[in-house]
């Protein structure tokens, strides 16, 4: 699909949401209209009303038709009702529409909005579909639960490339990657490796990698040292809120969720139910989301007009209660009056804050997914998790090694990732879930099935199993700690 030119009217889907949602959406749309945005708006219902009508996803099936038709979604915050059974609308929308990139610009507006970081201008690019948010969890034994962290090569390639393309489009100088690959060598290791593979295709952009713990500390302490930061889902979830908060206010940040087929734009804050219906809420976060949307649909001129008028309003000291500071702000206004003030400044530029100039999205064809030769796979064993309430590894080893056969032999037993047999440490704390690793250099699925059958015959309860493979001769599994 061609990128719409700024002269074309663009269909978008709008949801007014819950709590303060309807007020801030009305204010935002009024500003867009007065700025000359060319939009054909379709409205859908999402959120509390839909949840309470018995739809646990918070969005009616018919609303997907609108989203698939317009491919652009401007969404106000919603209230997720208390109590179990309600699925997160955000997670559902991201997954249904394949919105793999969450982009959150975190900018400080010093000295007009209070912040300890006057020169902060960081964009967090968060992977949006994978990682622990795949939501794959198990209770394996009475004492143990597990969650799977899923990091894929294509998923990581998409988000890392998006971060570099974003940096190029917005003339950013550096992309930083945060992972924990000193511990998570396979999953975060893959993400880091892909960052190192793709980065050199953008020689004009500096790149660096930090382990997430010290990287997060540095981001919170000296955010001005960062530019674009790309991260797997969980770290991005946590650190994008930290970044928005230290920039000055979560009430001022918007975000986009971008996919190959559709995109969603919103404020980062929630529905603030206690402020609803009082003409108090700050519409800036949603307006920032709407500006990201205007750039996305190619209405660059309108995006600049709105953003520069908004910056001028902020620097003129016209503030809603959440950012109003006595003696520093000039006028405390409500939602509607704030929108009026922005509208009155359309066409004006900020005088102290930096005015924005956006460039159109690159029109180059999207980069095709790299095809790589299929690796040589060798099945070399199986991890069998068994429930062993006695919690004594040596006794378990004596029992379970009776199933050795067909070239498969018990190599080690681990508990919570730590090797406890052979040569376990007597101080290691054990739960009831033991991972028994059987290795056989060139084994077969039949050999593994037969081994599992022998474990069951022995009277042991199998909690779960994982096949062990080598890829091009390299282990596709990690050693246990202490192994
Ligand atoms: P919240 O963001 O709604 O409110 C946190 C605090 O910030 C409150 O003090 C609130 O008054 C203030 N605040 C937030 N936005 C403001 C604005 N625009 N102007 C002025 N003040 C503002 O977070 P919460 O209280 O934890 O959640 C309330 C509801 O929102 C919950 O049901 C939650 O599930 C939902 N929520 C929705 C989204 C979303 O739709 N994307 C995101 C987060 C939370």
């Amino acid at each position: 699909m061609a990128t719409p030119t700024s002269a074309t009217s663009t269909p978008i889907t709008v949801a007014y949401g819950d709590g303060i949602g309807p007020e801030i959406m009305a204010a935002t749309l009024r500003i867009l209209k007065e700025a000359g945005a060319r939009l054909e708006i379709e409205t859908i219902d999402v959120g509390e009303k839909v949840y309470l009508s018995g739809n646990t996803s918070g969005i009616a099936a018919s609303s997907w038709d609108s989203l698939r038709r317009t491919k652009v979604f401007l969404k106000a915050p919603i209230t997720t009702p208390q109590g179990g059974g309600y699925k997160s609308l955000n997670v559902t929308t991201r997954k249904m529409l394949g919105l793999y990139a969450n982009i959150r610009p975190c900018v400080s507006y010093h000295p007009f909005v209070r912040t300890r970081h006057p020169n902060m201008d960081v964009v967090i690019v968060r992977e949006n579909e994978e990682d622990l948010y795949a939501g794959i969890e198990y209770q394996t034994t009475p004492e143990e639960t597990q969650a799977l962290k899923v990091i894929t090569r294509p998923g990581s390639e998409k988000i890392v490339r998006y971060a570099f393309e974003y940096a190029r489009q917005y003339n950013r100088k550096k992309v930083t990657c945060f992972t924990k690959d000193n511990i998570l060598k396979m999953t975060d290791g893959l993400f880091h490796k892909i960052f190192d593979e793709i980065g050199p295709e953008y020689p004009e952009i500096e790149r660096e990698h930090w382990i997430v713990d010290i990287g997060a500390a540095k981001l919170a302490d000296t955010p001005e040292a960062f530019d674009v930061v790309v991260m797997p889902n969980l770290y991005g979830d946590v650190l994008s809120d930290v970044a928005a908060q230290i920039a000055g206010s979560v009430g001022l940040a918007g975000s986009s969720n971008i996919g190959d087929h559709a995109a969603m734009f919103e404020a980062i804050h929630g529905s603030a139910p206690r402020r609803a219906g009082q003409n108090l809420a700050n519409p800036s976060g949603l307006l920032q989301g709407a500006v990201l949307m205007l750039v996305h649909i190619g209405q660059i001129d309108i995006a600049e007009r709105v953003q520069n008028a908004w910056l001028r309003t902020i620097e003129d000291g016209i503030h809603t209660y959440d950012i109003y500071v006595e003696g520093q702000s000039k006028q405390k206004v409500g939602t509607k009056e704030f929108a009026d003030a922005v509208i009155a400044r359309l066409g004006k530029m900020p005088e102290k804050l930096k005015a924005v100039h956006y460039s159109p999205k690159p029109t180059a064809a999207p980069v095709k997914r790299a095809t790589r030769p299929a690796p040589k796979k060798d099945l070399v064993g199986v991890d069998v998790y068994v429930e062993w309430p006695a919690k004594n590894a040596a006794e378990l080893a004596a029992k379970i090694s009776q199933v050795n056969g067909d070239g498969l032999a018990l190599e080690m037993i681990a508990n919570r990732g730590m090797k406890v047999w052979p040569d376990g440490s007597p101080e290691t704390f054990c739960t009831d879930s033991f991972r028994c690793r059987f290795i056989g250099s060139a084994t077969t699925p039949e050999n593994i099935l037969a081994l599992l059958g022998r474990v069951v015959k022995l009277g042991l309860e199998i909690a779960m199993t994982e096949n062990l493979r080598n890829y091009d001769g390299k282990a596709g599994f990690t050693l246990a700690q202490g192994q």
Side-chain angles (χ1 to χ4, degrees):
M1 194 188 76
T3 306
T5 66
S6 68
T8 323
S9 187
T10 308
I12 67 165
T13 302
V14 163
Y16 279 76
D18 302 313
I20 58 170
E23 295 161 70
I24 60 174
M25 181 59 85
T28 297
L29 291 179
R30 200 152 60 82
I31 296 169
L32 297 195
K33 184 163 178 272
E34 293 297 327
R38 288 166 290 278
L39 303 171
E40 282 169 35
I41 293 172
E42 295 184 9
T43 305
I44 59 169
D45 268 340
V46 298
E48 204 171 18
K49 222 172 25 181
V50 184
Y51 280 120
L52 296 179
S53 75
N55 184 326
T56 55
S57 67
I59 176 166
S62 58
S63 297
W64 295 111
D65 297 340
S66 172
L67 291 170
R68 292 207 170 92
R69 196 164 44 242
T70 67
K71 302 173 174 45
V72 180
F73 187 16
L74 181 62
K75 179 180 139 303
I78 59 147
T79 302
T80 310
Q82 296 288 312
Y86 300 109
K87 299 209 185 76
S88 157
L89 175 67
N90 271 352
V91 175
T92 307
T93 311
R94 282 178 208 150
K95 296 231 162 172
M96 284 284 282
L97 300 177
L99 309 180
Y100 64 88
N102 180 249
I103 315 302
R104 187 179 290 186
C106 301
V107 186
S108 58
Y109 303 101
H110 176 80
F112 307 103
V113 179
R114 231 180 223 168
T115 172
R116 285 196 209 104
H117 306 286
N119 300 315
M120 180 170 177
D121 183 2
V122 175
V123 180
I124 306 288
V125 177
R126 163 189 171 193
E127 198 289 320
N128 224 3
E129 294 182 296
E130 302 193 340
D131 201 345
L132 289 162
Y133 292 69
I136 307 169
E137 296 187 292
Y138 301 100
Q139 178 164 1
T140 44
T141 65
E143 290 187 352
E144 185 188 71
T145 54
Q146 294 189 3
L148 274 185
K149 177 170 166 108
V150 179
I151 302 277
T152 70
R153 174 167 269 280
S156 305
E157 282 174 352
K158 277 167 84 165
I159 192 69
V160 168
R161 189 167 292 289
Y162 189 92
F164 279 101
E165 285 291 325
Y166 181 97
R168 183 173 271 176
Q169 186 193 349
Y170 287 92
N171 201 22
R172 298 257 171 182
K173 305 294 178 233
K174 183 166 78 171
V175 179
T176 305
C177 175
F178 283 178
T179 71
K180 186 78 186 169
D181 66 342
N182 54 335
I183 302 295
L184 296 162
K185 294 181 169 48
M186 294 235 145
T187 48
D188 280 18
L190 177 63
F191 196 92
H192 185 176
K193 183 167 180 271
I194 287 165
F195 179 74
D196 286 344
E197 279 173 16
I198 289 178
E201 293 178 37
Y202 301 81
E204 76 281 17
I205 299 168
E206 190 190 335
R207 68 177 194 284
E208 63 178 14
H209 171 268
W210 290 86
I211 298 294
V212 63
D213 38 35
I214 187 64
K218 202 171 150 60
L219 177 68
D221 186 52
T222 44
E224 56 283 353
F226 294 92
D227 195 343
V228 175
V229 190
V230 63
M231 286 178 256
N233 205 340
L234 178 62
Y235 314 140
D237 189 4
V238 176
L239 291 180
S240 55
D241 267 15
V242 171
Q245 182 66 33
I246 65 172
S249 168
V250 268
L252 295 184
S255 86
S256 56
N257 294 270
I258 308 281
D260 289 333
H261 311 289
M264 174 170 80
F265 303 87
E266 59 184 344
I268 70 166
H269 59 74
S271 57
R274 282 187 307 129
R275 307 287 180 192
Q278 299 161 59
N279 190 38
L280 277 175
N282 189 345
S284 297
L286 187 59
L287 189 65
Q288 294 302 296
V291 168
L292 295 171
M293 177 191 78
L294 289 170
V295 175
H296 177 81
I297 63 178
Q299 298 194 19
I300 307 296
D301 50 342
I302 312 295
E304 284 178 2
R305 207 169 138 74
V306 171
Q307 185 66 358
N308 286 324
W310 178 78
L311 289 168
R312 181 65 181 263
T313 311
I314 294 292
E315 77 175 23
D316 281 349
I318 314 225
H319 295 166
T320 42
Y321 82 92
D322 55 316
I323 58 168
Y324 182 86
V325 177
E326 198 67 49
Q328 201 175 320
S329 306
K330 297 265 162 46
Q331 200 185 340
K332 194 191 267 183
V333 290
T335 315
K336 286 188 190 129
E337 295 71 27
F338 183 83
D340 292 340
V342 176
I343 290 165
R345 285 163 181 77
L346 288 167
K348 290 197 176 144
M349 304 297 264
E351 288 174 340
K352 300 205 178 68
L353 293 168
K354 202 166 149 237
V356 295
H357 297 285
Y358 301 120
S359 43
K361 271 200 303 190
T363 47
V367 181
K368 290 226 173 69
R369 198 192 275 191
T371 49
R372 44 186 62 243
K376 181 175 171 304
K377 283 191 290 186
D378 296 304
L379 191 59
V380 296
V382 62
D383 273 353
V384 185
Y385 289 73
V386 295
E387 185 184 327
W388 184 245
K391 299 176 188 171
N392 180 311
E395 281 172 21
L396 175 61
K399 187 170 170 94
I400 203 170
S401 57
Q402 294 173 47
V403 306
N404 287 350
D406 299 330
L408 282 162
L410 182 68
E411 184 193 61
M412 68 100 195
I413 299 177
N415 195 291
R416 297 193 303 170
M418 181 71 197
K419 187 191 76 169
V420 291
W421 181 92
D423 308 322
S425 158
E427 288 84 13
T428 302
F429 178 83
C430 286
T431 69
D432 62 359
S433 175
F434 286 79
R435 178 165 55 113
C436 304
R437 174 162 291 179
F438 291 87
I439 292 286
S441 55
T443 193
T444 63
E446 290 77 13
N447 288 347
I448 287 176
L449 281 176
L451 179 130
L452 296 178
R454 294 195 293 276
V455 174
V456 173
K457 266 212 179 114
L458 210 53
L460 287 168
E461 192 163 341
I462 298 177
M464 64 187 279
T465 69
E466 284 289 346
N467 285 346
L468 305 175
R469 292 191 184 80
N470 285 350
Y471 291 85
D472 287 333
K474 243 178 95 184
F477 49 93
T478 51
L479 296 178
Q481 285 144 16
Q483 198 183 356

